[in-house]
């Protein structure tokens, strides 16, 4: 489901006119739909109802406190990867005992903080880490709850930067070494073995690699249950969303979101995912953890930005916008495609090829190249779609550009959930020696 539609000639998020939001709060501006976030979470949660499970939202996808709070209130657990994310979860009203702490490089201070806060489980990614967890827990007079992350050596068939389940990736412990690693961990006095975890990659566009990985790991999981009494199996995140042409149609208007729901073109629907995996997981008799990030937040957000200038090059037309790669880095980093639409509904079906580029001093600072778009003019506000996950969270202050504001829409109401950064914010914390 998505909640972005043209209404009276202007793109709306739920019941709120995005033109108005841009006018009121300025651009670049991230806008999220509460209804979409909640819908994705609750639908996934109910699709898994046949198995004991916990949806642990991958905090890294969109970690605004308001977003985390929406999910915490609905009973979500959280997949975290840093002490900072755990701090956010606690500030947002989340329960640390429903958090799993992933990541190949947990620092001593982060481990101590997580143990103090009663973390649900550490998903350990190496035997050296298990040893460190044991030592720190011992010093604190505690036991560290641990699951090992198994690297199943399955090809997720996604972009190489977001593929994590092959043996040449830095993630997890090799499938073959897992039995020995559990045996050694079980000997450690300050470790409680709680589960087993895997995550093969992100933005998967087919259920097949999930099925392949679960089938491959299932016998191992059964052994671990029998030998160590583990309680959960986390199958990670990775469900892909529609980025491209999801909303194209033959309607008179060149782009008509009302006529196409993103479900039709979603590479993996929630229902297809559950249908393929529940029968494989149910017989295990374990609690199944899921770690979706992009699925929950991706299509729930847009980045609004204004066209500053049009520049005709010798072979191209550039639309220069006020958002840059520092605000949304996915096109530059992963060649990620994001649909782009004018907020004012085009009245003609005519399009022209343009490059949508930002103001940052890098040639990689583009949002689209040779993209067929309706005629744009200076001052037009455009929406970069599917920017709710790995958007703001990956933003930087490069070129000393302040962070954009973030807005959460709920029906006909909108709430500022992060203020736009000021120039003073930009230099807060910097010191000139001797002054
Ligand atoms: N669990 C673990 C252990 C992960 O490493 C990740 C994502 C997730 C869950 C959530 O995956 P999701 O359901 O969102 O696919 N910045 C990249 C994506 C990086 C994903 C990193 N790990 C992008 O913009 O495409």
């Amino acid at each position: 489901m998505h909640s972005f539609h043209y209404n009276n000639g202007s793109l709306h998020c739920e019941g709120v006119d995005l033109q108005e939001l841009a006018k009121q709060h300025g651009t670049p501006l991230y806008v999220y739909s509460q209804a979409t976030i909640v819908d994705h979470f609750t639908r996934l949660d109910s699709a898994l109802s046949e198995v004991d499970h916990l949806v642990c939202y991958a905090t890294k996808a969109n970690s605004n406190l308001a977003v985390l709070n929406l999910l915490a209130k609905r009973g979500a657990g959280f997949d975290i990867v840093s002490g900072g994310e755990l701090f956010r979860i606690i500030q947002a009203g989340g329960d640390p005992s429903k958090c799993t702490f992933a990541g190949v490089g947990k620092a001593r201070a982060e481990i101590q903080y997580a143990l103090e806060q009663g973390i649900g489980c550490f998903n350990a990614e190496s035997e050296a880490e298990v040893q460190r967890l044991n030592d720190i827990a011992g010093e604190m007079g505690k036991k560290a709850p641990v699951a090992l992350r198994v690297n199943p050596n399955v090809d997720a068939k996604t972009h190489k930067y977001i593929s994590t389940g092959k043996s040449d990736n830095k993630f997890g412990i090799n499938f073959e070494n897992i039995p020995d690693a559990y045996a050694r961990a079980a000997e450690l006095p300050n470790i409680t073995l709680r589960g087993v975890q895997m995550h093969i990659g992100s933005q998967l566009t087919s259920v097949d690699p999930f099925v392949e990985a679960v089938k491959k790991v299932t016998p191992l999981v059964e052994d671990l249950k029998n030998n160590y009494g583990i309680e959960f199996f986390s199958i990670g995140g990775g469900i892909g969303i529609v980025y491209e042409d999801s909303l194209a149609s033959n309607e008179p208007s060149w782009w008509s979101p009302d006529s196409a729901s993103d479900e039709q073109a979603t590479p993996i629907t929630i229902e297809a995912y559950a249908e393929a995996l529940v029968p494989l997981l149910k017989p295990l008799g374990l609690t199944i953890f899921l770690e979706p990030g992009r699925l929950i937040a991706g299509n729930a957000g847009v980045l609004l930005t204004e066209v500053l200038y049009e520049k005709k090059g010798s072979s191209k037309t550039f639309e220069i916008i006020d958002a840059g790669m520092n605000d949304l880095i996915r096109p530059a980093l992963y060649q990620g495609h994001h649909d782009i639409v004018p907020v004012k509904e085009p009245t003609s079906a005519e399009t022209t090829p343009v490059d949508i580029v930002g103001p940052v001093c890098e040639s990689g600072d583009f949002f689209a190249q040779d993209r067929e778009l309706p005629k744009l003019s200076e001052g037009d506000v455009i929406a970069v779609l599917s920017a709710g996950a790995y958007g703001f969270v990956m933003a930087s202050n490069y070129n000393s550009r302040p962070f954009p504001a973030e807005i959460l829409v709920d029906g006909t109401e909108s709430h500022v959930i992060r203020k736009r950064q000021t120039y003073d914010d930009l230099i807060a914390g910097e010191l000139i020696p001797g002054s």
Side-chain angles (χ1 to χ4, degrees):
M1 154 180 173
H2 67 85
S3 302
F4 297 90
H5 304 278
Y6 284 117
N7 192 358
N8 287 331
S10 182
L11 191 66
H12 282 58
C13 172
E14 301 188 25
V16 173
D17 187 341
L18 294 178
Q19 194 74 50
E20 289 301 316
L21 276 189
K23 207 184 293 168
Q24 204 179 335
H25 302 284
T27 50
L29 185 71
Y30 274 98
V31 182
Y32 310 121
S33 154
Q34 172 165 326
T36 307
I37 294 171
V38 170
D39 171 74
H40 288 166
F41 172 75
T42 46
R43 270 198 305 129
L44 183 63
D45 200 29
S46 34
L48 269 287
S49 61
E50 270 187 54
V51 284
D52 190 23
H53 71 277
L54 181 65
V55 177
C56 297
Y57 168 68
T59 308
K60 65 170 83 70
N62 183 328
S63 58
N64 186 289
L65 292 185
V67 171
L68 300 178
N69 175 259
L70 279 181
L71 297 167
K73 280 197 299 211
R74 285 160 180 85
F78 296 92
D79 161 55
I80 61 162
V81 290
S82 68
E85 285 192 348
L86 179 56
F87 179 73
R88 283 184 173 277
I89 298 299
I90 295 168
Q91 300 311 305
D95 178 354
S97 75
K98 287 164 100 175
C99 288
T100 54
F101 192 162
V104 294
K106 302 175 188 76
R108 170 171 275 273
E110 291 180 309
I111 294 170
Q112 284 167 336
Y113 175 53
L115 283 169
E116 273 161 21
Q117 298 301 323
I119 190 86
C121 198
F122 292 95
N123 291 340
E125 305 228 13
S126 64
E127 290 201 62
E129 182 191 332
V130 178
Q131 188 63 54
R132 179 75 54 85
L133 290 167
N134 178 69
D135 295 347
I136 296 175
E139 288 161 19
M140 295 173 71
K142 290 183 186 282
K143 281 200 156 216
V146 169
L148 300 191
R149 175 168 176 176
V150 51
N151 184 328
N153 195 20
V154 164
D155 188 355
K157 301 194 171 62
T158 183
H159 190 282
K160 63 177 178 182
Y161 284 7
I162 51 176
S163 178
T164 52
K166 289 282 284 171
S167 55
D168 55 359
N169 297 130
K170 69 178 174 181
F171 299 99
I173 297 173
N174 283 342
F175 183 75
E176 294 75 23
N177 301 340
I178 283 282
D180 285 351
Y182 270 85
R184 281 191 281 269
E187 298 284 301
L188 298 173
N190 310 312
I191 296 289
T192 308
L193 288 171
R194 281 207 57 207
V196 59
Q197 195 265 0
M198 69 174 186
H199 171 77
I200 58 173
S202 195
Q203 184 55 16
L204 271 67
T205 52
S206 149
V207 290
D208 298 346
F210 289 117
V211 169
E212 187 186 339
V214 167
K215 281 190 175 157
K216 181 163 181 186
V217 170
T218 297
L220 178 71
V221 176
E222 277 166 344
D223 286 349
L224 297 175
K225 184 186 171 194
N226 295 335
N227 296 339
Y228 306 106
I230 62 165
E231 305 146 50
F232 75 81
F233 174 28
S234 173
I235 59 170
I239 306 174
I241 62 164
V242 172
Y243 281 102
E244 200 162 344
D245 293 337
S246 57
L247 307 166
S249 81
N250 297 322
E251 298 296 306
S253 144
W254 72 283
W255 182 83
S256 177
D258 288 326
S259 63
S261 94
D262 65 356
E263 290 308 296
Q264 291 159 356
T266 296
I268 310 178
T269 63
I270 289 172
E271 292 69 24
Y273 175 81
E275 217 168 277
L277 295 180
V278 167
L280 302 174
L281 297 168
K282 204 174 168 181
L284 288 171
L286 292 171
T287 303
I288 302 302
F289 286 9
L290 301 102
E291 302 168 358
R294 192 188 314 263
L295 171 81
I296 306 285
N299 283 334
V302 298
L303 174 61
L304 298 183
T305 164
E306 184 181 313
V307 177
L308 296 176
Y309 306 102
E310 184 174 84
K311 174 159 133 176
K312 299 237 189 251
S314 52
S315 61
K316 278 178 180 260
T317 301
F318 297 100
E319 303 291 345
I320 302 164
I321 60 175
D322 68 359
M325 64 190 286
N326 68 297
D327 300 305
L328 178 69
I329 203 172
R330 299 197 72 266
L333 192 57
Y334 314 110
Q335 301 75 49
H337 174 102
H338 288 260
D339 277 354
I340 294 174
V341 299
V343 166
K344 188 167 173 292
E345 186 171 16
T347 45
S348 140
E350 219 172 289
T351 62
T352 164
V354 291
D355 276 23
I356 304 281
V357 301
V360 171
C361 303
E362 302 255 357
S363 297
D365 182 28
F366 59 82
F367 288 79
Q369 290 177 309
D370 301 315
R371 182 82 59 89
E372 288 290 337
L373 287 180
K375 173 88 195 94
L376 294 171
S377 309
E378 281 178 25
D380 282 355
V381 177
I382 60 176
V384 182
L385 304 184
S386 310
Y390 307 111
F392 185 93
V393 285
M394 295 182 80
S396 78
N397 286 137
Y398 187 40
N399 280 201
S400 286
R401 292 170 46 79
F403 286 138
E406 291 177 288
I407 306 284
L408 184 67
V409 168
D410 176 17
T412 54
E413 287 181 13
S414 61
H415 306 276
V416 177
I417 58 171
R418 179 192 297 267
K419 293 183 190 157
R420 183 176 302 283
Q421 247 187 350
T422 63
Y423 286 161
D424 279 335
D425 295 334
L426 265 186
I427 58 164
E430 289 182 40
L431 302 165
I432 300 175
S435 58

